[in-house]
């Protein structure tokens, strides 16, 4: 009997995953993410099939980073609630340190987000860094692609805060939020560590604590955007931000929140929307996506060469 060779079990499973993704099946999504995250056989075929659906919609990828204990998980949970109230589908990639015992994500599937994890419009996935520099798993971006192709309108990438190595977040996200907290003891160290350059929004969380206003002032001074008397004598020549007065430039806001009480979350969501709108209107969103695709292509080629 002539004809095509029978499909292997692997191919049949892969076809089932791709069909499930087309149907909007969450179980198929979880399987696709596992394939991509662990780079199992056929993961490139999954990414190839989904590629045409990426960059077409209004998906906003938001990176949330900052030192440990800043309340990133609580802030993320509040953002999920707000976006769900607006009817948006939300996915969370929680990048955690790798467990020394299992090699998996140390904090598991984020017990602290349990209250929103049962919502069918929310998908939460923990990923381990597995020693990757930048506090991000090497495949985080590919997982974000799978989630975008599946139809999630907001993808929140919450990372373990490790200072200098957080720079990869900016490459993966379209808007990066740096969460700081008063009385952390190392706030100035955090500001000096190089993470100041990567964020488009700065959040002083737990701002009902003493020292919140002082920290906010320090951040604003370091960003050079404080509009008080301290900058009154500076001419536009020495202050390029003032010279531009808008246009293509984005002035990073410094916002106060108390995530545990939901205070300031509305302002944060508005600022996130404004930044996404700014990127779209100035053409920087497409520019970033092109840069990201070029970097991804290089990474894929390098990975293939290494293997």
């Amino acid at each position: 009997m002539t004809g095509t060779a029978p499909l292997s079990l692997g191919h049949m499973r892969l076809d089932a995953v791709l069909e499930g993704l087309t149907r909007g099946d969450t179980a198929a999504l979880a399987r696709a993410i596992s394939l991509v995250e662990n780079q199992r056989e056929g993961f490139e075929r999954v990414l190839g099939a989904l590629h045409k659906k990426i960059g077409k919609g209004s998906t906003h990828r938001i990176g949330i980073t900052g030192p440990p204990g800043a309340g990133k998980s609580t802030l993320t949970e509040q953002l999920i609630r707000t976006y769900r109230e607006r009817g948006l589908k939300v996915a969370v990639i929680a990048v955690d340190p790798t467990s020394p015992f299992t090699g998996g994500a140390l904090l598991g599937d984020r017990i602290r987000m349990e209250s929103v994890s049962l919502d069918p419009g929310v998908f939460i996935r923990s990923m381990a860094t597995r020693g990757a520099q930048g506090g991000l798993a090497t495949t985080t971006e590919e997982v974000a692609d799978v989630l975008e192709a599946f139809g999630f309108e907001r993808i929140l990438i919450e990372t373990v805060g490790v200072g200098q190595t957080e720079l990869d977040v900016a490459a993966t996200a379209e808007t990066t939020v740096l969460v700081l907290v008063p009385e952390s003891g190392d706030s100035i160290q955090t500001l000096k560590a190089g993470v100041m350059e990567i964020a488009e929004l700065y959040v002083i969380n737990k701002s009902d604590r003493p020292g919140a206003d002082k920290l906010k002032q320090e951040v604003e001074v370091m960003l050079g955007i404080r509009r008080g008397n301290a900058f009154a004598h500076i001419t536009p020549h020495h202050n390029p931000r003032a010279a531009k007065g808008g246009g293509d430039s984005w002035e990073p806001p410094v916002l106060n929140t108390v995530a545990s009480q939901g205070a300031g979350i509305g302002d944060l969501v508005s600022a996130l929307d404004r930044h996404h709108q700014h990127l779209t209107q100035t053409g920087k969103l497409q520019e970033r996506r092109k840069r990201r695709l070029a970097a991804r292509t290089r990474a894929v080629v390098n990975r293939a060469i290494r293997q």
Side-chain angles (χ1 to χ4, degrees):
M1 183 179 164
T2 58
T4 55
L7 284 172
S8 69
L9 190 61
H11 276 101
M12 286 161 70
R13 281 186 185 146
L14 208 55
D15 286 340
V17 167
L18 290 170
E19 280 168 28
L21 288 171
T22 309
R23 281 198 318 271
D25 178 12
T26 311
L29 172 63
R31 280 199 294 275
I33 288 174
S34 293
L35 275 173
V36 169
E37 185 184 357
N38 299 303
Q39 293 172 27
R40 292 192 191 128
E41 190 186 346
F43 83 98
E44 280 154 336
R45 190 180 151 206
V46 170
L47 290 171
L50 298 174
H51 180 72
K52 58 183 176 291
K53 297 180 182 176
I54 297 162
K56 303 285 189 290
S58 57
T59 301
H60 188 187
R61 299 184 189 194
I62 300 163
I64 299 168
T65 185
K72 297 186 292 293
S73 290
T74 313
L75 199 71
T76 302
E77 189 178 346
Q78 293 287 2
L79 285 174
I80 295 168
R81 287 179 192 279
T82 307
Y83 286 134
R84 288 301 292 140
E85 282 166 13
R86 284 165 54 172
L88 298 172
K89 286 176 73 183
V90 187
V92 179
I93 304 172
V95 184
D96 285 321
T98 306
S99 163
F101 304 107
T102 64
L106 194 61
L107 303 181
D109 266 318
R110 289 297 167 131
I111 294 147
R112 282 170 291 183
M113 291 187 208
E114 194 177 5
S115 60
V116 288
S117 63
L118 300 174
D119 183 335
V122 177
F123 185 88
I124 299 172
R125 179 70 172 224
S126 279
M127 288 179 67
T129 54
R130 297 181 186 172
Q133 281 300 303
L136 280 179
T138 44
T139 51
T140 302
E141 204 158 334
E142 288 163 332
V143 169
D145 284 350
V146 175
L147 292 165
E148 180 172 342
F150 195 77
F152 286 100
E153 293 142 301
R154 294 291 182 274
I155 300 171
L156 308 177
I157 303 160
E158 186 207 327
T159 73
V160 50
V162 288
Q164 195 82 37
T165 53
E166 259 343 57
L167 303 174
D168 275 7
V169 190
T172 305
E174 287 147 4
T175 304
T176 303
V177 180
L178 177 61
V179 186
L180 300 168
V181 63
E183 301 178 306
S184 60
D186 59 351
S187 61
I188 297 300
Q189 203 55 42
T190 304
L191 303 182
K192 289 193 296 188
V195 283
M196 289 301 289
E197 290 81 26
I198 67 165
E200 283 85 25
L201 273 80
Y202 296 83
V203 170
I204 314 296
N205 193 31
K206 304 183 183 178
S207 59
D208 51 345
R209 291 184 177 182
D213 291 338
K214 183 173 179 285
L215 179 58
K216 182 177 181 179
Q217 186 177 338
E218 286 168 357
V219 174
E220 287 180 336
V221 167
M222 290 190 87
L223 290 170
I225 60 170
R226 193 155 182 84
R227 289 283 180 235
N229 293 330
F231 282 74
H233 63 287
I234 297 179
T235 62
H237 173 71
H238 296 295
N239 188 353
R241 285 182 189 277
K244 283 183 183 175
D248 283 357
S249 65
W250 167 260
E251 287 204 348
V254 184
L255 307 166
N256 285 61
T257 62
V258 184
S260 57
Q261 297 167 22
I265 301 300
D267 292 342
L268 174 57
V269 170
S270 297
L272 286 165
D273 288 346
R274 280 202 311 277
H275 185 252
H276 194 248
Q277 197 177 358
H278 164 81
L279 290 176
T280 308
Q281 287 172 349
T282 56
K284 287 181 179 176
L285 189 61
Q286 282 307 319
E287 200 180 296
R288 281 186 185 205
R289 284 175 174 169
K290 278 181 192 166
R291 269 208 310 270
R292 204 164 65 200
L293 187 60
R296 279 275 310 287
T297 306
R298 281 195 295 274
V300 167
V301 171
N302 287 337
R303 184 165 63 199
I305 291 168
R306 276 202 311 274
Q307 285 173 351

